[in-house]
Amino acid sequence: MKKLKCLMFGLLLSLFLCDGAKILVLFPVPSTSHGILGDNMVKHLLDGGHEVTYITPYVSKQPSHPKLRIIDVSDNRLYNDKMLNLKNIMSGAVNLKNNEVVFENLVNVAALTLENQNVQNLLKDRTYNFDVIIGEYMFTYLYSSLPAVLQCPFIWFSTTELHSMILDPMQGPLNPAYVSDYRVAQIAPYSFEVRVKMLWALLKELYQRNGKFYDKEEEIFMKLIAPIVKEHGRPVPNYNDLKYNASLLLENSQVAIGSAIPLPPNCKYIGGYHIPDSIQPLPEDLKKIMDNADNGVIYFSMGSILKSKDLPDGIKEGLLKLFGGLKQTVLWKFEDQLPGMPKNVHIMQWAPQQSILAHPNMVLFITHGGLLSLTEAVHFAVPVIVIPVFADQFLNANQAQRKGYAIKVDLTFYLHKDLKMALGKVLSDLPKYAERVKELSVAYHDKPMKPKDALNFWVNHVVKTKGAPHLKSVALQVPLYQRVYLDLIAVILVILIVLLKIFCLVTGKKSMKVKTN
Ligand SMILES: *[C@@H]1O[C@H](CO)[C@@H](O)[C@H](O)[C@H]1NC(C)=O
């Protein structure tokens, strides 16, 4: 009996002490790479013993797990197929470089998510309680208003490399003289011209962020969140106070891949957590091809949403001819049939990318430069050629090129010709590129914790310390005009003007005297 009591007590204690927290995870952007990041984060949190409620558009892909609850937002829409068609992008029929359009689309995704009936039900149901929320940042700060309803700390997750917009709620505006902005897409140190451009981009952004973007978000907040706060009988907080109240930022990169910039202590790198410890073995036929590739393998993929089959026919033919002339084996993720395939070229509808990159015969990866693909390239130490197409890919491409393990090629109607030059350059100097990416790979892998453990550690830390207020940047308490000493400059200007006035008065009188004389 005593033993049983002890056992019961022990069980109760272990339940009580168990690290498991109740976590709400939001990855509502309907785009494959975002789904990969969300799914893997949820997997690691479940493995960490947490109870997860997951807001996702990818419902059918989710495993059944006793501690996982799915909130379906599969109605969310972002781009249509026409917008992400390579031919339309190349011809200019679709302009994805217009950031305003992209931002508007993404704010719409957030609005769609928050007004989704399943999400509204979750927010209105007072029986749910959460210890922490993790929300994906995609160019809207709206999700950081959820703590007004759910009364728990909030953590941002940044899908892209760190940039001024995601760091703003953690730190306020950053020095544009060296912090990257993916819209200018240059890597510091900058030329004078680029530095001025960066300042201009920041000022424009500050103006818009405090003007029309802010108004739009606040309007959505007042329409979709504020009524629930009132329903729960609480006063509605100021949207701006919520926006600057996030506890932590989890960054989907590693400093070895991006730029080393000064960060507040609540920004943590967890990039690479989507790559499992043990990589799936290759399918038998593919393994045979790669094992037998005596001259090495080149792998070409434009990612999960851009399709090589949409390339103009002339370019497809040019690429096939180019690849056929190489001594390496070429694996091409191509979503259709291709006539007249050279012997060394193999196309596949779907490619197990990580397993391919992990193969020792890999010599080169040709990619669109999505952050996940470049992270995998550094993880498995494979040099790359980047053909950036949209969003953060231009910045990623320039970064990889600057780091010395990549060459950037523009997506134009001369792609096959430019790619031929780039291939010539990399393949003739392969040991240099391979050495460089290996150096970066060592720096990338050498860290005190695996990314998935860092994820669980910092999420636990926020829960344990009730929002980790001690990690918050003190910069947020200092208004921008004080941070850049605009007040001091104003004081100096006033003194100068007064002195000038006095000087004018004195000399003016003197000259008057001279005249009357
Ligand atoms: C800010 O976050 C902390 C910790 O999560 C919380 O206690 C506080 O109420 C929040 N403030 C606002 C205005 O929501």
Side-chain angles (χ1 to χ4, degrees):
M1 190 62 198
K2 207 172 160 197
K3 253 189 187 164
L4 194 71
K5 258 188 195 162
C6 260
L7 197 74
M8 292 287 280
F9 182 71
L11 260 177
L12 271 176
L13 195 71
S14 69
L15 269 181
F16 187 69
L17 286 180
C18 148
D19 262 341
K22 294 196 177 75
I23 307 177
L24 176 64
V25 179
L26 285 105
F27 276 78
V29 177
S31 178
T32 315
S33 49
H34 299 253
I36 291 173
L37 288 166
D39 294 357
N40 280 288
M41 179 175 288
V42 167
K43 179 183 176 301
H44 296 318
L45 292 171
L46 290 170
D47 288 348
H50 300 295
E51 214 178 297
V52 179
T53 301
Y54 182 25
I55 299 183
T56 172
Y58 296 108
V59 176
S60 61
K61 280 192 183 166
Q62 303 312 320
S64 79
H65 188 290
K67 286 188 162 185
L68 175 63
R69 181 176 51 202
I70 301 296
I71 307 293
D72 181 347
V73 289
S74 49
D75 289 342
N76 282 1
R77 290 287 169 269
L78 178 55
Y79 299 117
N80 54 37
D81 289 349
K82 215 177 96 213
M83 283 181 88
L84 290 176
N85 181 300
L86 279 170
K87 202 186 285 171
N88 293 342
I89 294 172
M90 290 171 77
S91 69
V94 169
N95 183 6
L96 288 176
K97 284 192 182 155
N98 187 341
N99 288 305
E100 305 234 340
V101 177
V102 177
F103 291 167
E104 231 175 80
N105 273 318
L106 288 160
V107 174
N108 279 342
V109 171
L112 282 174
T113 305
L114 294 176
E115 73 188 3
N116 185 299
Q117 203 50 51
N118 300 329
V119 176
Q120 283 279 316
N121 290 345
L122 173 84
L123 296 177
K124 284 180 181 154
D125 188 336
R126 275 194 253 186
T127 57
Y128 291 148
N129 54 57
F130 294 102
D131 297 308
V132 64
I133 307 164
I134 305 176
E136 184 192 22
Y137 177 82
M138 260 289 121
F139 303 102
T140 159
Y141 304 105
L142 267 166
Y143 305 133
S144 58
S145 67
L146 287 175
V149 175
L150 299 171
Q151 300 285 296
C152 65
F154 182 84
I155 296 175
W156 277 122
F157 172 76
S158 169
T159 314
T160 59
E161 269 301 344
L162 289 171
H163 55 84
S164 55
M165 282 174 95
I166 177 58
L167 284 167
D168 183 68
M170 314 312 291
Q171 172 87 329
L174 293 138
N175 193 337
Y178 53 82
V179 174
S180 301
D181 177 316
Y182 85 96
R183 286 158 303 178
V184 181
Q186 300 283 333
I187 308 300
Y190 307 129
S191 65
F192 175 76
E193 190 198 331
V194 172
R195 211 152 38 83
V196 173
K197 253 193 202 166
M198 292 290 295
L199 179 63
W200 177 244
L202 178 73
L203 291 175
K204 194 169 139 197
E205 183 196 311
L206 281 175
Y207 173 73
Q208 291 180 332
R209 202 194 282 157
N210 294 309
K212 65 176 180 191
F213 290 156
Y214 182 85
D215 295 343
K216 175 100 202 265
E217 293 196 348
E218 197 189 26
E219 193 185 302
I220 297 171
F221 167 71
M222 291 311 287
K223 189 173 140 217
L224 298 172
I225 305 285
I228 311 176
V229 180
K230 284 185 200 149
E231 220 178 281
H232 289 193
R234 278 192 302 266
V236 177
N238 185 311
Y239 179 64
N240 227 19
D241 291 344
L242 292 163
K243 183 178 146 188
Y244 287 100
N245 200 35
S247 297
L248 197 73
L249 169 66
L250 295 170
E251 162 56 28
N252 179 39
S253 182
Q254 293 291 339
V255 68
I257 302 174
S259 288
I261 51 171
L263 291 179
N266 58 358
C267 296
K268 303 293 172 193
Y269 292 102
I270 58 164
Y273 75 85
H274 75 286
I275 305 171
D277 290 340
S278 62
I279 303 300
Q280 289 276 328
L282 284 164
E284 217 29 67
D285 48 343
L286 192 52
K287 183 171 183 306
K288 214 184 237 163
I289 294 173
M290 291 194 80
D291 285 347
N292 293 335
D294 295 329
N295 293 308
V297 177
I298 295 172
Y299 165 55
F300 177 26
S301 165
M302 291 302 278
S304 47
I305 42 177
L306 297 166
K307 308 249 183 299
S308 288
K309 75 175 165 70
D310 296 332
L311 285 167
D313 287 339
I315 293 186
K316 279 191 270 195
E317 280 158 27
L319 287 175
L320 214 50
K321 211 169 130 207
L322 167 64
F323 294 151
L326 297 171
K327 63 180 196 265
Q328 286 82 5
T329 299
V330 178
L331 303 177
W332 186 359
K333 181 185 157 275
F334 193 92
E335 307 75 11
D336 207 350
Q337 301 298 319
L338 265 180
M341 290 277 295
K343 256 175 75 184
N344 66 326
V345 182
H346 304 268
I347 58 170
M348 38 197 174
Q349 307 266 333
W350 172 84
Q353 180 157 304
Q354 296 175 0
S355 314
I356 292 174
L357 292 175
H359 195 283
N361 284 347
M362 268 305 296
V363 293
L364 181 67
F365 177 20
I366 306 172
T367 166
H368 64 312
L371 187 54
L372 296 191
S373 287
L374 286 179
T375 305
E376 289 166 17
V378 172
H379 188 105
F380 297 108
V382 180
V384 290
I385 289 177
V386 193
I387 310 168
V389 182
F390 71 104
D392 59 338
Q393 292 158 13
F394 299 97
L395 180 68
N396 298 344
N398 287 337
Q399 183 71 269
Q401 182 161 278
R402 174 70 70 93
K403 297 244 169 202
Y405 70 98
I407 288 188
K408 184 178 91 167
V409 173
D410 292 330
L411 179 69
T412 65
F413 287 97
Y414 304 104
L415 179 65
H416 46 303
K417 293 183 184 144
D418 294 341
L419 192 59
K420 186 175 180 179
M421 299 236 305
L423 274 169
K425 215 165 144 190
V426 180
L427 292 175
S428 65
D429 217 356
L430 201 54
K432 187 187 100 188
Y433 288 93
E435 191 51 43
R436 184 66 194 122
V437 74
K438 257 187 213 123
E439 281 167 15
L440 283 173
S441 192
V442 169
Y444 158 96
H445 282 287
D446 195 35
K447 40 190 178 272
M449 274 188 227
K450 284 186 182 156
K452 61 175 183 184
D453 297 328
L455 160 70
N456 269 308
F457 176 86
W458 288 110
V459 170
N460 280 330
H461 187 76
V462 167
V463 173
K464 265 188 215 163
T465 60
K466 302 202 164 44
H470 57 287
L471 293 181
K472 244 180 148 168
S473 172
V474 74
L476 289 179
Q477 295 171 36
V478 183
L480 182 61
Y481 78 88
Q482 289 182 16
R483 246 184 280 165
V484 297
Y485 286 91
L486 282 184
D487 45 356
L488 173 65
I489 294 172
V491 169
I492 293 175
L493 276 180
V494 167
I495 293 174
L496 281 180
I497 289 170
V498 169
L499 285 179
L500 201 70
K501 269 262 145 75
I502 293 174
F503 180 76
C504 285
L505 273 178
V506 172
T507 54
K509 261 186 197 148
K510 256 190 199 154
S511 62
M512 290 260 281
K513 258 182 206 162
V514 173
K515 256 184 200 162
T516 50
N517 276 352

PDB file of all heavy atoms in Angstrom, residues 131 144-145 147-148 151-154 237-238 240-247 462 465-469 472, ligand 1:
ATOM      1  N   ASP A 131       0.210  28.256 -22.965  1.00  0.00           N
ATOM      2  CA  ASP A 131       1.349  28.811 -22.229  1.00  0.00           C
ATOM      3  C   ASP A 131       2.169  29.739 -23.106  1.00  0.00           C
ATOM      4  O   ASP A 131       2.884  30.601 -22.618  1.00  0.00           O
ATOM      5  CB  ASP A 131       2.253  27.682 -21.721  1.00  0.00           C
ATOM      6  CG  ASP A 131       1.511  26.792 -20.742  1.00  0.00           C
ATOM      7  OD1 ASP A 131       0.939  27.340 -19.789  1.00  0.00           O
ATOM      8  OD2 ASP A 131       1.478  25.564 -20.954  1.00  0.00           O
ATOM      9  N   SER A 144       0.955  38.952 -33.474  1.00  0.00           N
ATOM     10  CA  SER A 144       1.421  39.308 -32.139  1.00  0.00           C
ATOM     11  C   SER A 144       0.323  39.977 -31.316  1.00  0.00           C
ATOM     12  O   SER A 144       0.524  40.304 -30.154  1.00  0.00           O
ATOM     13  CB  SER A 144       2.669  40.199 -32.206  1.00  0.00           C
ATOM     14  OG  SER A 144       2.408  41.374 -32.929  1.00  0.00           O
ATOM     15  N   SER A 145      -0.862  40.160 -31.917  1.00  0.00           N
ATOM     16  CA  SER A 145      -1.986  40.691 -31.128  1.00  0.00           C
ATOM     17  C   SER A 145      -2.775  39.564 -30.453  1.00  0.00           C
ATOM     18  O   SER A 145      -3.652  39.830 -29.636  1.00  0.00           O
ATOM     19  CB  SER A 145      -2.911  41.522 -32.020  1.00  0.00           C
ATOM     20  OG  SER A 145      -3.558  40.702 -32.959  1.00  0.00           O
ATOM     21  N   PRO A 147      -1.981  37.498 -28.068  1.00  0.00           N
ATOM     22  CA  PRO A 147      -1.936  37.455 -26.603  1.00  0.00           C
ATOM     23  C   PRO A 147      -3.028  38.288 -25.931  1.00  0.00           C
ATOM     24  O   PRO A 147      -3.379  38.031 -24.786  1.00  0.00           O
ATOM     25  CB  PRO A 147      -0.540  38.013 -26.283  1.00  0.00           C
ATOM     26  CG  PRO A 147       0.278  37.622 -27.447  1.00  0.00           C
ATOM     27  CD  PRO A 147      -0.643  37.771 -28.627  1.00  0.00           C
ATOM     28  N   ALA A 148      -3.576  39.283 -26.645  1.00  0.00           N
ATOM     29  CA  ALA A 148      -4.673  40.070 -26.061  1.00  0.00           C
ATOM     30  C   ALA A 148      -5.852  39.151 -25.734  1.00  0.00           C
ATOM     31  O   ALA A 148      -6.561  39.360 -24.754  1.00  0.00           O
ATOM     32  CB  ALA A 148      -5.105  41.165 -27.030  1.00  0.00           C
ATOM     33  N   GLN A 151      -3.814  35.629 -23.583  1.00  0.00           N
ATOM     34  CA  GLN A 151      -3.151  35.943 -22.304  1.00  0.00           C
ATOM     35  C   GLN A 151      -1.921  35.083 -22.033  1.00  0.00           C
ATOM     36  O   GLN A 151      -1.795  34.458 -20.974  1.00  0.00           O
ATOM     37  CB  GLN A 151      -4.148  35.765 -21.147  1.00  0.00           C
ATOM     38  CG  GLN A 151      -5.364  36.667 -21.246  1.00  0.00           C
ATOM     39  CD  GLN A 151      -5.020  38.096 -20.868  1.00  0.00           C
ATOM     40  OE1 GLN A 151      -4.655  38.365 -19.743  1.00  0.00           O
ATOM     41  NE2 GLN A 151      -5.102  39.007 -21.817  1.00  0.00           N
ATOM     42  N   CYS A 152      -1.037  35.026 -23.011  1.00  0.00           N
ATOM     43  CA  CYS A 152       0.204  34.275 -22.808  1.00  0.00           C
ATOM     44  C   CYS A 152       1.293  34.906 -23.667  1.00  0.00           C
ATOM     45  O   CYS A 152       0.992  35.705 -24.554  1.00  0.00           O
ATOM     46  CB  CYS A 152       0.002  32.805 -23.172  1.00  0.00           C
ATOM     47  SG  CYS A 152      -0.344  32.549 -24.907  1.00  0.00           S
ATOM     48  N   PRO A 153       2.570  34.588 -23.433  1.00  0.00           N
ATOM     49  CA  PRO A 153       3.653  35.196 -24.215  1.00  0.00           C
ATOM     50  C   PRO A 153       3.594  34.798 -25.691  1.00  0.00           C
ATOM     51  O   PRO A 153       3.011  33.771 -26.047  1.00  0.00           O
ATOM     52  CB  PRO A 153       4.922  34.643 -23.566  1.00  0.00           C
ATOM     53  CG  PRO A 153       4.516  34.130 -22.244  1.00  0.00           C
ATOM     54  CD  PRO A 153       3.088  33.704 -22.369  1.00  0.00           C
ATOM     55  N   PHE A 154       4.241  35.628 -26.522  1.00  0.00           N
ATOM     56  CA  PHE A 154       4.231  35.397 -27.968  1.00  0.00           C
ATOM     57  C   PHE A 154       5.657  35.304 -28.501  1.00  0.00           C
ATOM     58  O   PHE A 154       6.532  36.086 -28.135  1.00  0.00           O
ATOM     59  CB  PHE A 154       3.508  36.552 -28.671  1.00  0.00           C
ATOM     60  CG  PHE A 154       3.406  36.366 -30.151  1.00  0.00           C
ATOM     61  CD1 PHE A 154       2.378  35.617 -30.696  1.00  0.00           C
ATOM     62  CD2 PHE A 154       4.363  36.916 -30.989  1.00  0.00           C
ATOM     63  CE1 PHE A 154       2.291  35.423 -32.063  1.00  0.00           C
ATOM     64  CE2 PHE A 154       4.285  36.712 -32.366  1.00  0.00           C
ATOM     65  CZ  PHE A 154       3.249  35.977 -32.901  1.00  0.00           C
ATOM     66  N   PRO A 237      -6.188  46.229 -25.557  1.00  0.00           N
ATOM     67  CA  PRO A 237      -4.894  46.930 -25.523  1.00  0.00           C
ATOM     68  C   PRO A 237      -4.653  47.685 -26.830  1.00  0.00           C
ATOM     69  O   PRO A 237      -5.280  47.391 -27.849  1.00  0.00           O
ATOM     70  CB  PRO A 237      -3.871  45.808 -25.358  1.00  0.00           C
ATOM     71  CG  PRO A 237      -4.631  44.546 -25.204  1.00  0.00           C
ATOM     72  CD  PRO A 237      -6.024  44.783 -25.665  1.00  0.00           C
ATOM     73  N   ASN A 238      -3.731  48.605 -26.778  1.00  0.00           N
ATOM     74  CA  ASN A 238      -3.295  49.335 -27.956  1.00  0.00           C
ATOM     75  C   ASN A 238      -2.560  48.364 -28.897  1.00  0.00           C
ATOM     76  O   ASN A 238      -1.720  47.592 -28.455  1.00  0.00           O
ATOM     77  CB  ASN A 238      -2.354  50.434 -27.445  1.00  0.00           C
ATOM     78  CG  ASN A 238      -1.919  51.354 -28.545  1.00  0.00           C
ATOM     79  OD1 ASN A 238      -1.486  50.896 -29.605  1.00  0.00           O
ATOM     80  ND2 ASN A 238      -2.041  52.631 -28.298  1.00  0.00           N
ATOM     81  N   ASN A 240      -0.226  48.857 -31.043  1.00  0.00           N
ATOM     82  CA  ASN A 240       1.215  49.081 -31.046  1.00  0.00           C
ATOM     83  C   ASN A 240       1.895  48.446 -29.824  1.00  0.00           C
ATOM     84  O   ASN A 240       2.998  47.918 -29.917  1.00  0.00           O
ATOM     85  CB  ASN A 240       1.505  50.577 -31.072  1.00  0.00           C
ATOM     86  CG  ASN A 240       2.556  50.913 -32.106  1.00  0.00           C
ATOM     87  OD1 ASN A 240       2.806  50.120 -33.012  1.00  0.00           O
ATOM     88  ND2 ASN A 240       3.171  52.056 -31.973  1.00  0.00           N
ATOM     89  N   ASP A 241       1.224  48.504 -28.653  1.00  0.00           N
ATOM     90  CA  ASP A 241       1.805  47.892 -27.451  1.00  0.00           C
ATOM     91  C   ASP A 241       1.943  46.383 -27.648  1.00  0.00           C
ATOM     92  O   ASP A 241       2.934  45.772 -27.233  1.00  0.00           O
ATOM     93  CB  ASP A 241       0.926  48.156 -26.228  1.00  0.00           C
ATOM     94  CG  ASP A 241       0.957  49.625 -25.827  1.00  0.00           C
ATOM     95  OD1 ASP A 241       1.870  50.324 -26.300  1.00  0.00           O
ATOM     96  OD2 ASP A 241       0.062  50.045 -25.080  1.00  0.00           O
ATOM     97  N   LEU A 242       0.954  45.795 -28.290  1.00  0.00           N
ATOM     98  CA  LEU A 242       1.014  44.348 -28.543  1.00  0.00           C
ATOM     99  C   LEU A 242       2.139  44.027 -29.520  1.00  0.00           C
ATOM    100  O   LEU A 242       2.883  43.059 -29.355  1.00  0.00           O
ATOM    101  CB  LEU A 242      -0.319  43.865 -29.112  1.00  0.00           C
ATOM    102  CG  LEU A 242      -1.495  43.927 -28.142  1.00  0.00           C
ATOM    103  CD1 LEU A 242      -2.815  43.826 -28.892  1.00  0.00           C
ATOM    104  CD2 LEU A 242      -1.380  42.807 -27.108  1.00  0.00           C
ATOM    105  N   LYS A 243       2.262  44.876 -30.532  1.00  0.00           N
ATOM    106  CA  LYS A 243       3.250  44.644 -31.588  1.00  0.00           C
ATOM    107  C   LYS A 243       4.677  44.627 -31.037  1.00  0.00           C
ATOM    108  O   LYS A 243       5.520  43.871 -31.510  1.00  0.00           O
ATOM    109  CB  LYS A 243       3.080  45.749 -32.628  1.00  0.00           C
ATOM    110  CG  LYS A 243       3.968  45.628 -33.819  1.00  0.00           C
ATOM    111  CD  LYS A 243       3.680  46.742 -34.807  1.00  0.00           C
ATOM    112  CE  LYS A 243       4.961  47.139 -35.488  1.00  0.00           C
ATOM    113  NZ  LYS A 243       4.797  48.325 -36.322  1.00  0.00           N
ATOM    114  N   TYR A 244       4.936  45.464 -30.041  1.00  0.00           N
ATOM    115  CA  TYR A 244       6.301  45.522 -29.493  1.00  0.00           C
ATOM    116  C   TYR A 244       6.440  44.701 -28.213  1.00  0.00           C
ATOM    117  O   TYR A 244       7.300  44.967 -27.399  1.00  0.00           O
ATOM    118  CB  TYR A 244       6.708  46.980 -29.266  1.00  0.00           C
ATOM    119  CG  TYR A 244       6.974  47.682 -30.562  1.00  0.00           C
ATOM    120  CD1 TYR A 244       6.022  48.513 -31.135  1.00  0.00           C
ATOM    121  CD2 TYR A 244       8.164  47.469 -31.248  1.00  0.00           C
ATOM    122  CE1 TYR A 244       6.257  49.124 -32.357  1.00  0.00           C
ATOM    123  CE2 TYR A 244       8.406  48.072 -32.460  1.00  0.00           C
ATOM    124  CZ  TYR A 244       7.450  48.899 -33.008  1.00  0.00           C
ATOM    125  OH  TYR A 244       7.701  49.491 -34.220  1.00  0.00           O
ATOM    126  N   ASN A 245       5.568  43.701 -28.035  1.00  0.00           N
ATOM    127  CA  ASN A 245       5.597  42.935 -26.789  1.00  0.00           C
ATOM    128  C   ASN A 245       5.965  41.459 -26.986  1.00  0.00           C
ATOM    129  O   ASN A 245       5.786  40.640 -26.104  1.00  0.00           O
ATOM    130  CB  ASN A 245       4.217  43.050 -26.109  1.00  0.00           C
ATOM    131  CG  ASN A 245       4.294  42.714 -24.639  1.00  0.00           C
ATOM    132  OD1 ASN A 245       5.279  43.000 -23.978  1.00  0.00           O
ATOM    133  ND2 ASN A 245       3.254  42.067 -24.133  1.00  0.00           N
ATOM    134  N   ALA A 246       6.511  41.106 -28.161  1.00  0.00           N
ATOM    135  CA  ALA A 246       6.884  39.704 -28.386  1.00  0.00           C
ATOM    136  C   ALA A 246       8.048  39.326 -27.478  1.00  0.00           C
ATOM    137  O   ALA A 246       8.913  40.158 -27.190  1.00  0.00           O
ATOM    138  CB  ALA A 246       7.259  39.491 -29.839  1.00  0.00           C
ATOM    139  N   SER A 247       8.063  38.078 -27.019  1.00  0.00           N
ATOM    140  CA  SER A 247       9.085  37.637 -26.076  1.00  0.00           C
ATOM    141  C   SER A 247      10.369  37.181 -26.750  1.00  0.00           C
ATOM    142  O   SER A 247      11.444  37.285 -26.178  1.00  0.00           O
ATOM    143  CB  SER A 247       8.550  36.463 -25.250  1.00  0.00           C
ATOM    144  OG  SER A 247       7.454  36.889 -24.491  1.00  0.00           O
ATOM    145  N   VAL A 462      10.936  30.748 -22.321  1.00  0.00           N
ATOM    146  CA  VAL A 462       9.890  31.780 -22.347  1.00  0.00           C
ATOM    147  C   VAL A 462       8.731  31.379 -21.431  1.00  0.00           C
ATOM    148  O   VAL A 462       8.198  32.209 -20.690  1.00  0.00           O
ATOM    149  CB  VAL A 462       9.397  32.009 -23.796  1.00  0.00           C
ATOM    150  CG1 VAL A 462       8.111  32.837 -23.813  1.00  0.00           C
ATOM    151  CG2 VAL A 462      10.473  32.716 -24.611  1.00  0.00           C
ATOM    152  N   THR A 465       9.883  31.603 -17.665  1.00  0.00           N
ATOM    153  CA  THR A 465      10.154  32.953 -17.144  1.00  0.00           C
ATOM    154  C   THR A 465       9.010  33.914 -17.475  1.00  0.00           C
ATOM    155  O   THR A 465       9.197  35.120 -17.454  1.00  0.00           O
ATOM    156  CB  THR A 465      11.465  33.514 -17.727  1.00  0.00           C
ATOM    157  OG1 THR A 465      11.336  33.565 -19.154  1.00  0.00           O
ATOM    158  CG2 THR A 465      12.658  32.640 -17.384  1.00  0.00           C
ATOM    159  N   LYS A 466       7.837  33.321 -17.804  1.00  0.00           N
ATOM    160  CA  LYS A 466       6.637  34.129 -18.075  1.00  0.00           C
ATOM    161  C   LYS A 466       6.893  35.252 -19.079  1.00  0.00           C
ATOM    162  O   LYS A 466       6.655  36.432 -18.804  1.00  0.00           O
ATOM    163  CB  LYS A 466       6.080  34.693 -16.770  1.00  0.00           C
ATOM    164  CG  LYS A 466       5.721  33.613 -15.763  1.00  0.00           C
ATOM    165  CD  LYS A 466       4.730  34.111 -14.751  1.00  0.00           C
ATOM    166  CE  LYS A 466       4.054  32.998 -13.984  1.00  0.00           C
ATOM    167  NZ  LYS A 466       4.960  31.918 -13.530  1.00  0.00           N
ATOM    168  N   GLY A 467       7.431  34.873 -20.227  1.00  0.00           N
ATOM    169  CA  GLY A 467       7.603  35.851 -21.307  1.00  0.00           C
ATOM    170  C   GLY A 467       9.008  36.425 -21.419  1.00  0.00           C
ATOM    171  O   GLY A 467       9.247  37.317 -22.227  1.00  0.00           O
ATOM    172  N   ALA A 468       9.925  35.902 -20.621  1.00  0.00           N
ATOM    173  CA  ALA A 468      11.350  36.311 -20.692  1.00  0.00           C
ATOM    174  C   ALA A 468      11.549  37.820 -20.810  1.00  0.00           C
ATOM    175  O   ALA A 468      12.245  38.294 -21.711  1.00  0.00           O
ATOM    176  CB  ALA A 468      12.037  35.590 -21.861  1.00  0.00           C
ATOM    177  N   PRO A 469      10.970  38.602 -19.883  1.00  0.00           N
ATOM    178  CA  PRO A 469      11.142  40.069 -19.984  1.00  0.00           C
ATOM    179  C   PRO A 469      12.600  40.506 -19.850  1.00  0.00           C
ATOM    180  O   PRO A 469      12.980  41.545 -20.385  1.00  0.00           O
ATOM    181  CB  PRO A 469      10.289  40.607 -18.826  1.00  0.00           C
ATOM    182  CG  PRO A 469      10.101  39.469 -17.891  1.00  0.00           C
ATOM    183  CD  PRO A 469      10.140  38.223 -18.726  1.00  0.00           C
ATOM    184  N   LYS A 472      14.475  41.216 -23.165  1.00  0.00           N
ATOM    185  CA  LYS A 472      13.958  42.243 -24.071  1.00  0.00           C
ATOM    186  C   LYS A 472      14.944  43.380 -24.284  1.00  0.00           C
ATOM    187  O   LYS A 472      15.534  43.874 -23.327  1.00  0.00           O
ATOM    188  CB  LYS A 472      12.689  42.816 -23.473  1.00  0.00           C
ATOM    189  CG  LYS A 472      11.534  42.508 -24.337  1.00  0.00           C
ATOM    190  CD  LYS A 472      10.283  43.035 -23.826  1.00  0.00           C
ATOM    191  CE  LYS A 472       9.569  43.314 -25.105  1.00  0.00           C
ATOM    192  NZ  LYS A 472       8.248  43.593 -25.012  1.00  0.00           N
TER     193      LYS A 472
HETATM  194  C1  LIG B   1       3.302  41.711 -22.685  1.00  0.00           C
HETATM  195  O1  LIG B   1       3.798  40.411 -22.454  1.00  0.00           O
HETATM  196  C2  LIG B   1       3.871  40.028 -21.106  1.00  0.00           C
HETATM  197  C3  LIG B   1       4.516  38.680 -21.023  1.00  0.00           C
HETATM  198  O2  LIG B   1       3.978  37.795 -21.930  1.00  0.00           O
HETATM  199  C4  LIG B   1       2.485  40.096 -20.472  1.00  0.00           C
HETATM  200  O3  LIG B   1       2.562  39.777 -19.112  1.00  0.00           O
HETATM  201  C5  LIG B   1       1.889  41.479 -20.678  1.00  0.00           C
HETATM  202  O4  LIG B   1       0.564  41.501 -20.209  1.00  0.00           O
HETATM  203  C6  LIG B   1       1.911  41.852 -22.130  1.00  0.00           C
HETATM  204  N1  LIG B   1       1.452  43.224 -22.343  1.00  0.00           N
HETATM  205  C7  LIG B   1       0.443  43.540 -23.165  1.00  0.00           C
HETATM  206  C8  LIG B   1       0.141  44.984 -23.350  1.00  0.00           C
HETATM  207  O5  LIG B   1      -0.200  42.707 -23.731  1.00  0.00           O
END
